Amino acid sequence: MPISAPLLVHCQNLSKNFNGKPAVAGLDLDIPPRICFGLLGPNGAGKTTTLRMLLGQSPRSGGTLEIFGQDIELNRRQIRQRTGIVPQADNLDPDFTVEENLRMYGSYFRLPTHEMDRRIPQLLDMVELSARATDRIDTLSGGLKRRLTLARALVNDPEFLVLDEPTTGLDPQARHMIWSLLHRMKRNGKTILLTTHYMEEAERLCDQLMIIDNGTLLAQDSPTGLIRKYCESDVLEIRGGIPKEAMGRLPPSCRTEHAGESLYIYSNHAKPLLELAQGLPDTACLHRHSGLEDVFLRLTGRELRG
Amino acid sequence: MSNKSLPVLRIEAFTIWRRNALVWRRLMGASVLLHFGEPLIYLLGLGYGLGRFVGEMAGMPYFTFLASGFIAWSAMNVASMESMWSVYTRMVPQQTYEAILATPAEVDDIVIGELLWCATKSLFSGTAILVVAALLGAVNDWTAVFALPVIFLTGLCFAAPGLIITALARGYEYFNFYMTLAMTPMFILCGVFYPTNTLPLPMQSVVQFLPLTHAVQIIRPIVVGEPITNLGLHLGTLGLFGLVTAWVATILIRRRLIQ
């Protein structure tokens, strides 16, 4: 079978057990080069475990796993040489300054000094940290640390960039900056794999999305493809009660979901939803187009996770 | 890769060593004070204070006896502290190794780099005490510098069991067990304060199995300029102990970091 471009990541039946308990159970994951691929799932779905296996930080229990066409277990060092990682938790080196962090990290990749002299100022400039180059890590805010972690992941000029919840805990300004940097990375031909809990982020950045839960695949498509496939076009959110007779007037094609105090009515036609909304106070209901979040909640359920 | 293979030496191990050395250089002032100040107080207090009552021990002034024992003890102490508290700090709260393992560096590089670094710190400390002892007249001959490689070896030998404890530790309080059950007995029993042949016979056999005994038996004669008896036995015991514990430490650290 001819393949147009070799896959950057190719996993089949990837699985991981912790003490006999499956964390990832038979995942097939293919990522073509030069796209941004999003891995979505509730807490404990197996996202981080999957990333750790991809990076060779956790040996797989079963299946095959190839990056750049090489088995990660056999070619870990070569693969990491071409990969950049932004982990979920901050692990910058607190014993060094901003610039020293990048230099130290570059030395683990055996980057020659002249290469670092050239690249590190550019990276600091890119994440707008040049003015903080000699500051200690503990003086940086969460947003600045995250930007530095991104710069650190780029120190070896990787072809493949992996980010585990890159914007969790950041303010909107910092989040937008990370987004624009990631757009730039993609334009520069890098392949990006990220996990996120923010559907807006997934929708804005990702060309392909995979939703997983309990270590298995639930759905995979482009963001718009997922919405088309798994959700009606319109939704009416209603807080508090709704008269029984009003519900009776809804066409049977409408789908309803209850979540706590709220009722969600999904339909491919806006009209019946708007008619229903007219009889209700403005503050109690909201009509909108459905989005990735509706797909996500439909596929993974509304109950809380650990 | 088999999980139980011997660690492989690569250039990245020296990068890890360099990382620690750069951090140490930043905090050097406090470190130098500790390395020189502490032995100075101990040696002056115990060596002169106690030495006045003791006079000679094993044919040498008590101060000289104690200083040469202290060099061996400090090699053990410094390497143990570094391989437990400092390595645990880098491994758990700082997640430094997690960051390093996202690069081409491997767990083996971390283990070897840390072993070499711990031994380097032992060497700093041992050198400091040797200098203090020489300034106070306890060293007779320049050949005392031959103690330095043995100090480094002693550091390696005690860094490895320290790493084992760290690999198993769930918190800093875990290290107290090792301190109380291993390090303190060796400090007291292995010939730092008095010759082991003054111990009751059964104890004399027991202390032969403790590595600090052998470190003292090599370092003391070198420092005071006496011939070493049973050099092969002592070096072999230290070396074997170091190799076996380093291997076990590698296996356990791999297991801890790669899950």
Side-chain angles (χ1 to χ4, degrees):
Chain A
M1 192 176 74
I3 300 171
S4 53
L7 291 166
L8 197 127
V9 175
H10 179 50
C11 308
Q12 283 183 311
N13 204 19
L14 185 64
S15 54
K16 176 76 190 182
N17 302 321
F18 286 114
N19 304 319
K21 229 179 128 249
V24 174
L27 206 59
D28 293 339
L29 174 66
D30 285 341
I31 304 177
R34 292 164 189 272
I35 72 159
C36 181
F37 190 99
L39 195 57
L40 307 182
N43 286 331
K47 300 185 299 291
T48 300
T49 304
T50 303
L51 291 195
R52 287 181 59 83
M53 280 193 281
L54 287 178
L55 304 168
Q57 290 175 323
S58 175
R60 62 182 183 258
S61 307
T64 63
L65 197 169
E66 283 178 10
I67 301 178
F68 304 116
Q70 296 173 309
D71 188 306
I72 184 75
E73 303 275 324
L74 304 175
N75 301 285
R76 206 164 36 212
R77 289 158 59 79
Q78 292 89 324
I79 290 169
R80 285 187 194 148
Q81 189 72 40
R82 300 163 69 184
T83 307
I85 297 161
V86 177
Q88 195 171 334
D90 159 48
N91 60 17
L92 292 163
D93 203 323
D95 294 318
F96 293 113
T97 66
V98 167
E99 187 183 342
E100 286 168 343
N101 256 274
L102 299 183
R103 287 196 164 271
M104 203 60 235
Y105 216 65
S107 71
Y108 299 133
F109 288 92
R110 298 195 198 184
L111 289 189
T113 311
H114 64 88
E115 187 63 28
M116 289 206 257
D117 290 342
R118 189 182 63 80
R119 201 177 289 169
I120 286 172
Q122 289 173 358
L123 287 171
L124 286 175
D125 190 46
M126 188 189 79
V127 297
E128 295 175 29
L129 275 171
S130 301
R132 307 290 301 265
T134 56
D135 288 1
R136 288 181 61 92
I137 296 304
D138 50 23
T139 66
L140 302 183
S141 69
L144 296 185
K145 280 184 186 165
R146 196 43 68 96
R147 270 147 64 181
L148 181 58
T149 308
L150 181 60
R152 189 183 70 175
L154 296 170
V155 82
N156 55 323
D157 194 19
E159 296 152 65
F160 182 36
L161 189 59
V162 179
L163 307 103
D164 196 1
E165 297 187 20
T167 64
T168 296
L170 299 189
D171 62 23
Q173 286 84 352
R175 178 170 302 162
H176 276 269
M177 180 179 180
I178 300 275
W179 286 345
S180 78
L181 287 172
L182 291 179
H183 271 298
R184 202 158 121 194
M185 295 302 118
K186 206 169 84 178
R187 270 204 312 279
N188 291 344
K190 297 198 190 302
T191 309
I192 300 172
L193 169 62
L194 62 85
T195 72
T196 182
H197 284 304
Y198 300 110
M199 297 304 133
E200 189 195 352
E201 180 164 288
E203 226 164 333
R204 274 170 183 253
L205 292 175
C206 298
D207 308 291
Q208 276 286 312
L209 290 174
M210 176 181 267
I211 302 181
I212 64 170
D213 199 7
N214 301 314
T216 54
L217 173 78
L218 294 179
Q220 186 182 346
D221 208 328
S222 65
T224 48
L226 281 175
I227 296 167
R228 253 202 321 272
K229 208 184 287 182
Y230 290 97
C231 208
E232 296 81 353
S233 63
D234 286 66
V235 56
L236 185 68
E237 276 184 53
I238 301 168
R239 277 174 295 281
I242 171 169
K244 269 219 169 73
E245 62 275 17
M247 283 297 283
R249 286 202 298 274
L250 278 174
S253 63
C254 292
R255 180 171 63 87
T256 60
E257 261 181 45
H258 286 274
E261 286 283 282
S262 296
L263 172 69
Y264 296 80
I265 305 171
Y266 293 94
S267 171
N268 278 321
H269 305 284
K271 204 168 155 243
L273 299 182
L274 289 168
E275 280 170 7
L276 180 64
Q278 264 170 7
L280 297 167
D282 274 357
T283 51
C285 68
L286 168 72
H287 170 250
R288 58 174 173 81
H289 290 298
S290 54
L292 212 47
E293 190 132 344
D294 300 292
V295 176
F296 184 83
L297 289 170
R298 180 167 188 194
L299 289 171
T300 60
R302 287 185 184 268
E303 71 273 19
L304 292 175
R305 305 304 178 94
Chain B
M1 184 189 72
S2 155
N3 228 6
K4 294 189 171 55
S5 58
L6 287 168
V8 181
L9 178 67
R10 275 181 295 256
I11 200 156
E12 276 78 8
F14 298 100
T15 312
I16 309 281
W17 180 92
R18 187 173 151 265
R19 179 216 166 270
N20 294 340
L22 288 172
V23 176
W24 181 82
R25 199 178 61 180
R26 174 155 306 159
L27 310 165
M28 198 164 59
S31 194
V32 167
L33 185 72
L34 183 78
H35 286 326
F36 281 95
E38 207 181 44
L40 193 67
I41 294 165
Y42 268 118
L43 282 180
L44 289 177
L46 290 176
Y48 284 137
L50 204 57
R52 271 183 48 173
F53 298 96
V54 177
E56 287 211 336
M57 191 169 278
M60 63 187 87
Y62 188 62
F63 180 84
T64 307
F65 185 90
L66 194 63
S68 54
F70 260 14
I71 292 173
W73 164 73
S74 97
M76 166 182 94
N77 197 40
V78 168
S80 304
M81 296 289 184
E82 185 72 14
S83 61
M84 294 193 290
W85 274 271
S86 304
V87 169
Y88 188 83
T89 301
R90 294 193 270 276
M91 183 170 75
V92 183
Q94 287 185 194
Q95 291 287 313
T96 307
Y97 301 150
E98 173 87 8
I100 291 173
L101 290 176
T103 74
E106 297 267 22
V107 178
D108 288 13
D109 305 322
I110 293 174
V111 172
I112 295 177
E114 291 291 2
L115 286 175
L116 290 174
W117 172 246
C118 293
T120 306
K121 280 197 80 171
S122 294
L123 189 59
F124 291 156
S125 170
T127 308
I129 304 178
L130 193 60
V131 169
V132 169
L135 291 175
L136 295 174
V139 177
N140 300 321
D141 204 337
W142 66 270
T143 50
V145 296
F146 291 127
L148 297 181
V150 185
I151 293 168
F152 190 82
L153 175 70
T154 306
L156 280 176
C157 287
F158 283 100
L163 287 187
I164 293 178
I165 305 299
T166 303
L168 300 171
R170 298 291 144 202
Y172 291 101
E173 61 283 356
Y174 220 83
F175 302 131
N176 295 336
F177 289 105
Y178 183 72
M179 290 274 287
T180 311
L181 298 176
M183 287 171 64
T184 307
M186 282 193 272
F187 181 43
I188 301 298
L189 298 173
C190 291
V192 175
F193 294 100
Y194 48 85
T196 50
N197 60 17
T198 58
L199 286 166
L201 268 178
M203 278 310 288
Q204 286 190 35
S205 314
V206 170
V207 298
Q208 287 308 313
F209 291 95
L210 300 177
L212 185 62
T213 307
H214 301 280
V216 172
Q217 302 272 11
I218 310 173
I219 292 171
R220 178 167 289 139
I222 297 180
V223 170
V224 300
E226 285 179 359
I228 310 167
T229 47
N230 294 328
L231 177 64
L233 169 78
H234 300 312
L235 270 184
T237 309
L238 270 185
L240 187 69
F241 176 79
L243 279 177
V244 170
T245 49
W247 183 38
V248 175
T250 310
I251 294 169
L252 293 178
I253 299 261
R254 280 183 196 145
R255 198 171 293 170
R256 173 100 185 221
L257 291 177
I258 304 286
Q259 287 182 2

